[in-house]
Amino acid sequence: MSDSVYKKIQVVGCSEKSYEDAIANAVKKSSETLHAIHWWEVVEMRGAVRDGKPVEYQVTVSLAFKVD
Amino acid sequence: MSDSVYKKIQVVGCSEKSYEDAIANAVKKSSETLHAIHWWEVVEMRGAVRDGKPVEYQVTVSLAFKVD
Amino acid sequence: MSDSVYKKIQVVGCSEKSYEDAIANAVKKSSETLHAIHWWEVVEMRGAVRDGKPVEYQVTVSLAFKVD
Amino acid sequence: MSDSVYKKIQVVGCSEKSYEDAIANAVKKSSETLHAIHWWEVVEMRGAVRDGKPVEYQVTVSLAFKVD
Amino acid sequence: MSDSVYKKIQVVGCSEKSYEDAIANAVKKSSETLHAIHWWEVVEMRGAVRDGKPVEYQVTVSLAFKVD
Amino acid sequence: MSDSVYKKIQVVGCSEKSYEDAIANAVKKSSETLHAIHWWEVVEMRGAVRDGKPVEYQVTVSLAFKVD
Amino acid sequence: MSDSVYKKIQVVGCSEKSYEDAIANAVKKSSETLHAIHWWEVVEMRGAVRDGKPVEYQVTVSLAFKVD
Amino acid sequence: MSDSVYKKIQVVGCSEKSYEDAIANAVKKSSETLHAIHWWEVVEMRGAVRDGKPVEYQVTVSLAFKVD
Amino acid sequence: MSDSVYKKIQVVGCSEKSYEDAIANAVKKSSETLHAIHWWEVVEMRGAVRDGKPVEYQVTVSLAFKVD
Amino acid sequence: MSDSVYKKIQVVGCSEKSYEDAIANAVKKSSETLHAIHWWEVVEMRGAVRDGKPVEYQVTVSLAFKVD
Amino acid sequence: MSDSVYKKIQVVGCSEKSYEDAIANAVKKSSETLHAIHWWEVVEMRGAVRDGKPVEYQVTVSLAFKVD
Amino acid sequence: MSDSVYKKIQVVGCSEKSYEDAIANAVKKSSETLHAIHWWEVVEMRGAVRDGKPVEYQVTVSLAFKVD
């Protein structure tokens, strides 16, 4: 890293399948405008229920990208 | 939500497959007696090991349902 | 448990597939030298990104094993 | 208190006016079925936005009532 | 545990003697209506003072019981 | 939400009147440049004192808005 | 601030009206003996209920004042 | 409480016997100079070991007393 | 301490009697292999229930010992 | 502050020398595009090791700047 | 320590040079009126920025001193 | 990292000079027996005072090393 500077942003990703897929959605969407995302940290995990079944996995991740 | 009131209960769900499946078990079981669960929040993730392998995923979720 | 003593160690497991697989890797590797791991607690969930996609799920677990 | 036992439940109250009003809503609704609520603890404060303005204050409180 | 579901409730127990006794009071009282309490987790420890001496130990525990 | 992505930013709002007003200030100012703020979460509450009286309520909120 | 030293004390303020009023009470009372309180930080928010209604807002604040 | 103001101070009590005794020591010593201590909150529990045995229980409590 | 280095390990001690006894068990067992344990910090307190009564106090402590 | 609005961003600064230097790097780099940074809060401190020696100090700071 | 009682106070120290110097300032200033400070615990680290450079390191420490 | 496993241990380092030096001491001492330490995370910062001056900086770090 030496003398590098990274910025962290918080993004909420959602998915009907799994938390891994929700993270992938958050990363993919953010990568459209940010080209140097290096890592994520899971901050919060939630989800939505309908008719007694989980219908959406929601994850808040902190995404870190390099500042040029 | 305006003027709605929700109650949150903590439930531990278990599964041999995944955390998503453990959450689904917690939601399904609780839905037998509660008809208006709206969302969950993950509170804790643990698991059991036998013979050097994960054999059970255990998740504590906070389930929120509407109070009529 | 009565009068038993357990030790907890923190281990970081990694996987290209899922957090469940990352936990399994941490448990399997630790079981090569520790024969009585009973349970784990998830402490932290992170991951690595390359080319706008998640490429590695990293999980820190606290593994508890019995002290004879 | 001596030898008394209290139970705590988590309730989310909402209001268009203020957090104090949201707490009052949570307390009033819960008092319809619980007759001995003694105190609350604020657990979380959130809210909803529409058209660039706060439209709802949401508060999660832990309500404590005496168990006979 | 496999596929079992547990519910956790928060209870405050009090005692003039000790925290262990306060926990026992919380467990005993709750067991009058709940028949399958398996474990507790200590959430908070407080107490009351009168005339410069501790007169009551108060403990908030999270009690977990099996949901049939 | 399904497959939606939200971004969260932290903003400090101030007011001479109340925390609700401080939140409204943070939301209004941020809405000048962000058109899809959905909710806020209170992160920290502080304030300034002058001549023995509160003169300013300061609140740090996390604002979530939809990423198109 | 440069080379200044501040001391922080924890004070609980109460009010029948609102949290803002409870903070004002804590600040006013403390200012009778402390002449240089600069800011507060909210540490905890609780309250008392009677007959199914909130009757008192209680707030623990950390008050910071300059040490000469 | 209505309009009362309480101050909280942090005190570390020690004892060779138990945590309850360590709390009693902290309360008794503080009551020599403070006449209106109402309650305590346990903040931290530690202890000292010598020759493989616990020789001292150390507890940090927050003591609340009324400000006249 | 000057230039000394200490290592901290997490150990779970159990007892049918009290938390102090559970800590003593954790310290005694660990002292069979570690000769320089100086202090402990309480990390978590739990317990097991059978037939509506506490049957085991479980405490996770962080034990610190000097590294030669 | 009165009616001012501040935004907080999280930045990771690195340095081979010290945490103070790592903070300075984060502040300097961020000041190239943000002209009104007022304060920082330390969120996390980590570092990298090579050949048994610390080679990089890494600090995550929350930087607050005024929104015009 | 056996049967000793310590009091902890929170103090904010500032310095233009480093966090170590800010701690020294807090300790020195507090030692003018307190003669038996034994240890400190770092509670919070912040700082002030002017013209894109750190100009002040601010640290909140909890100072523990013996009560006679 | 892919499929690598890391272990984390907690070590307390001390120094009369600075926290950076205390970390270096913890890392150096631990490297005598562990050959693959990759990174550290700061867990706690404390220190000792004598005659109104800081005489020792104490830091608890979590050291991560690769498990072969």
Side-chain angles (χ1 to χ4, degrees):
Chain A
M1 280 185 171
S2 49
D3 282 34
S4 316
V5 171
Y6 292 79
K7 198 179 158 192
K8 287 184 184 176
I9 56 167
Q10 285 209 352
V11 177
V12 186
C14 303
S15 160
E16 295 172 12
K17 291 191 227 137
S18 68
Y19 281 115
E20 281 80 358
D21 194 50
I23 292 169
N25 284 344
V27 169
K28 258 179 285 174
K29 190 75 191 173
S30 305
S31 294
E32 293 176 10
T33 50
L34 297 169
H35 299 293
I37 301 177
H38 281 230
W39 79 88
W40 77 80
E41 302 164 22
V42 173
V43 175
E44 195 186 46
M45 295 161 88
R46 304 166 65 102
V49 177
R50 205 159 18 229
D51 300 329
K53 277 180 214 138
V55 292
E56 194 179 54
Y57 301 93
Q58 304 157 351
V59 66
T60 302
V61 286
S62 187
L63 297 177
F65 58 94
K66 206 169 181 173
V67 181
D68 298 319
Chain B
M1 281 183 173
S2 49
D3 283 35
S4 317
V5 171
Y6 293 79
K7 199 180 158 189
K8 287 184 184 176
I9 55 167
Q10 285 209 352
V11 177
V12 186
C14 304
S15 162
E16 296 171 12
K17 290 189 228 138
S18 68
Y19 281 115
E20 282 80 356
D21 194 51
I23 292 170
N25 284 344
V27 169
K28 258 179 284 174
K29 189 76 189 171
S30 305
S31 294
E32 292 175 9
T33 50
L34 296 169
H35 299 294
I37 301 177
H38 280 231
W39 80 87
W40 76 81
E41 302 164 24
V42 173
V43 174
E44 195 186 45
M45 295 161 88
R46 305 166 66 101
V49 177
R50 207 163 10 231
D51 301 329
K53 278 181 215 137
V55 291
E56 193 179 54
Y57 301 93
Q58 304 156 351
V59 65
T60 302
V61 286
S62 186
L63 297 177
F65 58 95
K66 206 166 181 176
V67 181
D68 299 319
Chain C
M1 280 184 174
S2 48
D3 282 35
S4 317
V5 171
Y6 293 79
K7 198 179 159 191
K8 286 184 184 178
I9 56 166
Q10 287 209 352
V11 177
V12 186
C14 302
S15 161
E16 295 171 13
K17 291 191 227 136
S18 68
Y19 281 114
E20 281 79 357
D21 194 50
I23 292 169
N25 285 343
V27 169
K28 260 178 285 174
K29 189 75 189 171
S30 305
S31 294
E32 293 175 9
T33 49
L34 297 169
H35 300 294
I37 300 178
H38 280 231
W39 79 88
W40 77 81
E41 302 165 24
V42 173
V43 175
E44 194 186 46
M45 295 161 87
R46 304 166 66 101
V49 177
R50 203 157 21 224
D51 301 328
K53 278 182 215 138
V55 292
E56 193 179 53
Y57 301 93
Q58 303 156 352
V59 66
T60 302
V61 286
S62 186
L63 297 177
F65 56 95
K66 207 168 180 176
V67 181
D68 297 319
Chain D
M1 282 184 172
S2 48
D3 282 34
S4 316
V5 171
Y6 293 78
K7 199 180 157 189
K8 287 184 182 177
I9 56 166
Q10 286 210 351
V11 177
V12 185
C14 304
S15 161
E16 295 172 11
K17 292 190 226 135
S18 68
Y19 281 115
E20 281 81 357
D21 195 50
I23 291 170
N25 284 344
V27 169
K28 258 179 286 175
K29 190 75 190 171
S30 304
S31 295
E32 292 175 9
T33 49
L34 297 170
H35 300 293
I37 301 176
H38 280 231
W39 79 86
W40 77 81
E41 302 163 24
V42 173
V43 175
E44 193 187 45
M45 296 162 86
R46 307 166 64 102
V49 177
R50 208 162 11 231
D51 300 329
K53 280 181 211 137
V55 292
E56 194 179 53
Y57 301 93
Q58 303 156 351
V59 65
T60 302
V61 286
S62 187
L63 297 176
F65 58 94
K66 207 168 178 174
V67 181
D68 299 317
Chain E
M1 280 185 172
S2 49
D3 282 34
S4 317
V5 171
Y6 293 79
K7 199 180 157 188
K8 287 184 184 178
I9 55 167
Q10 286 209 350
V11 177
V12 185
C14 303
S15 161
E16 296 172 11
K17 290 190 227 137
S18 68
Y19 280 115
E20 281 80 357
D21 194 51
I23 292 169
N25 285 343
V27 169
K28 258 179 285 174
K29 189 76 189 171
S30 304
S31 294
E32 293 175 9
T33 50
L34 297 170
H35 299 294
I37 300 177
H38 280 231
W39 79 88
W40 77 81
E41 301 164 24
V42 173
V43 175
E44 195 186 45
M45 295 163 87
R46 305 167 66 101
V49 176
R50 207 162 12 230
D51 301 329
K53 276 178 216 142
V55 293
E56 193 178 54
Y57 301 94
Q58 303 155 352
V59 66
T60 303
V61 285
S62 187
L63 297 176
F65 58 95
K66 206 166 181 177
V67 181
D68 298 320
Chain F
M1 279 183 173
S2 47
D3 282 33
S4 318
V5 171
Y6 293 78
K7 198 180 158 190
K8 288 184 182 177
I9 56 166
Q10 286 210 351
V11 177
V12 186
C14 303
S15 161
E16 296 172 11
K17 291 190 225 136
S18 67
Y19 281 115
E20 281 81 357
D21 194 50
I23 292 169
N25 284 344
V27 169
K28 259 179 284 174
K29 190 75 189 171
S30 305
S31 294
E32 292 176 9
T33 48
L34 297 169
H35 300 293
I37 301 177
H38 280 231
W39 79 87
W40 77 80
E41 302 165 22
V42 174
V43 174
E44 194 186 45
M45 296 162 86
R46 305 167 66 102
V49 176
R50 206 161 14 229
D51 302 329
K53 277 178 215 142
V55 292
E56 194 178 54
Y57 302 92
Q58 302 156 351
V59 65
T60 302
V61 285
S62 187
L63 297 177
F65 57 95
K66 207 167 179 174
V67 182
D68 298 320
Chain G
M1 279 184 173
S2 48
D3 282 35
S4 316
V5 171
Y6 293 79
K7 197 179 159 191
K8 286 184 184 177
I9 56 166
Q10 286 210 352
V11 177
V12 185
C14 303
S15 161
E16 295 172 12
K17 290 190 227 136
S18 68
Y19 281 114
E20 281 80 358
D21 195 50
I23 292 170
N25 284 344
V27 169
K28 259 180 284 176
K29 189 76 190 172
S30 305
S31 294
E32 292 176 9
T33 49
L34 296 170
H35 300 293
I37 301 177
H38 280 231
W39 79 87
W40 77 80
E41 301 164 24
V42 174
V43 175
E44 193 185 47
M45 296 162 86
R46 305 167 64 102
V49 176
R50 206 161 14 230
D51 301 329
K53 280 181 212 140
V55 292
E56 195 179 52
Y57 301 92
Q58 303 156 353
V59 67
T60 302
V61 285
S62 187
L63 297 176
F65 58 95
K66 207 169 180 173
V67 181
D68 299 320
Chain H
M1 280 185 173
S2 48
D3 282 34
S4 317
V5 171
Y6 293 78
K7 200 180 157 189
K8 287 185 184 176
I9 55 166
Q10 286 209 352
V11 177
V12 186
C14 304
S15 161
E16 295 172 13
K17 289 188 231 138
S18 68
Y19 281 115
E20 281 80 359
D21 194 51
I23 291 170
N25 285 344
V27 169
K28 258 179 285 174
K29 189 76 190 171
S30 304
S31 294
E32 292 175 10
T33 50
L34 296 169
H35 299 293
I37 300 177
H38 280 231
W39 79 87
W40 78 81
E41 302 163 24
V42 173
V43 175
E44 194 185 46
M45 296 162 87
R46 303 166 66 101
V49 177
R50 207 163 11 232
D51 301 329
K53 279 180 212 139
V55 292
E56 192 179 54
Y57 300 93
Q58 304 156 352
V59 67
T60 302
V61 285
S62 187
L63 297 176
F65 57 95
K66 206 167 181 175
V67 181
D68 299 320
Chain I
M1 280 183 172
S2 48
D3 283 34
S4 318
V5 170
Y6 293 79
K7 199 180 158 191
K8 288 185 184 176
I9 56 166
Q10 286 210 351
V11 177
V12 185
C14 304
S15 160
E16 295 172 11
K17 292 191 225 134
S18 68
Y19 281 115
E20 281 80 357
D21 194 51
I23 292 169
N25 285 344
V27 169
K28 258 178 286 175
K29 189 76 191 171
S30 305
S31 293
E32 292 175 9
T33 49
L34 296 170
H35 299 292
I37 300 178
H38 280 231
W39 79 88
W40 77 81
E41 302 164 24
V42 173
V43 175
E44 194 186 46
M45 296 162 86
R46 305 165 66 101
V49 177
R50 206 164 9 232
D51 301 328
K53 279 181 213 137
V55 292
E56 193 178 54
Y57 301 93
Q58 303 156 352
V59 66
T60 303
V61 286
S62 186
L63 297 176
F65 57 95
K66 208 168 179 175
V67 181
D68 298 319
Chain J
M1 281 184 172
S2 48
D3 282 35
S4 316
V5 171
Y6 293 78
K7 200 180 157 188
K8 287 184 184 176
I9 55 165
Q10 287 209 352
V11 177
V12 185
C14 303
S15 161
E16 294 172 13
K17 290 190 228 136
S18 68
Y19 280 115
E20 282 80 357
D21 194 50
I23 292 170
N25 284 344
V27 170
K28 258 179 285 174
K29 189 75 190 172
S30 304
S31 294
E32 291 176 11
T33 49
L34 296 169
H35 300 293
I37 301 178
H38 281 232
W39 79 87
W40 77 80
E41 302 164 24
V42 173
V43 175
E44 194 186 46
M45 296 162 87
R46 305 166 65 101
V49 177
R50 208 165 7 233
D51 300 329
K53 279 181 213 138
V55 292
E56 193 178 54
Y57 301 92
Q58 303 156 351
V59 66
T60 302
V61 286
S62 186
L63 297 177
F65 58 96
K66 207 167 179 174
V67 181
D68 299 318
Chain K
M1 281 183 170
S2 50
D3 282 34
S4 317
V5 171
Y6 293 79
K7 199 181 157 188
K8 286 184 184 176
I9 56 166
Q10 286 209 351
V11 177
V12 185
C14 303
S15 160
E16 296 172 12
K17 290 188 230 138
S18 68
Y19 281 114
E20 281 81 358
D21 195 49
I23 291 169
N25 284 344
V27 169
K28 259 179 284 174
K29 189 76 191 172
S30 305
S31 294
E32 292 175 10
T33 48
L34 296 170
H35 299 293
I37 301 178
H38 280 232
W39 79 88
W40 78 81
E41 302 164 22
V42 173
V43 175
E44 193 187 46
M45 297 162 86
R46 304 167 65 102
V49 176
R50 208 163 10 233
D51 302 327
K53 277 180 214 140
V55 292
E56 193 178 56
Y57 301 93
Q58 303 155 353
V59 67
T60 301
V61 285
S62 187
L63 297 176
F65 58 95
K66 206 167 180 175
V67 181
D68 298 319
Chain L
M1 281 182 171
S2 48
D3 282 34
S4 318
V5 171
Y6 292 79
K7 200 181 159 190
K8 287 185 183 176
I9 55 166
Q10 286 210 350
V11 177
V12 185
C14 303
S15 161
E16 295 171 13
K17 292 190 227 136
S18 68
Y19 281 115
E20 281 80 358
D21 194 51
I23 292 169
N25 285 343
V27 169
K28 259 178 286 174
K29 189 75 190 172
S30 305
S31 294
E32 292 175 9
T33 48
L34 297 170
H35 300 294
I37 301 178
H38 280 232
W39 79 87
W40 76 81
E41 301 164 23
V42 173
V43 175
E44 194 186 46
M45 295 162 87
R46 305 166 65 101
V49 177
R50 206 162 12 230
D51 301 328
K53 277 180 215 138
V55 293
E56 193 178 55
Y57 301 94
Q58 303 155 353
V59 66
T60 302
V61 285
S62 187
L63 297 177
F65 57 95
K66 206 165 179 178
V67 181
D68 298 320

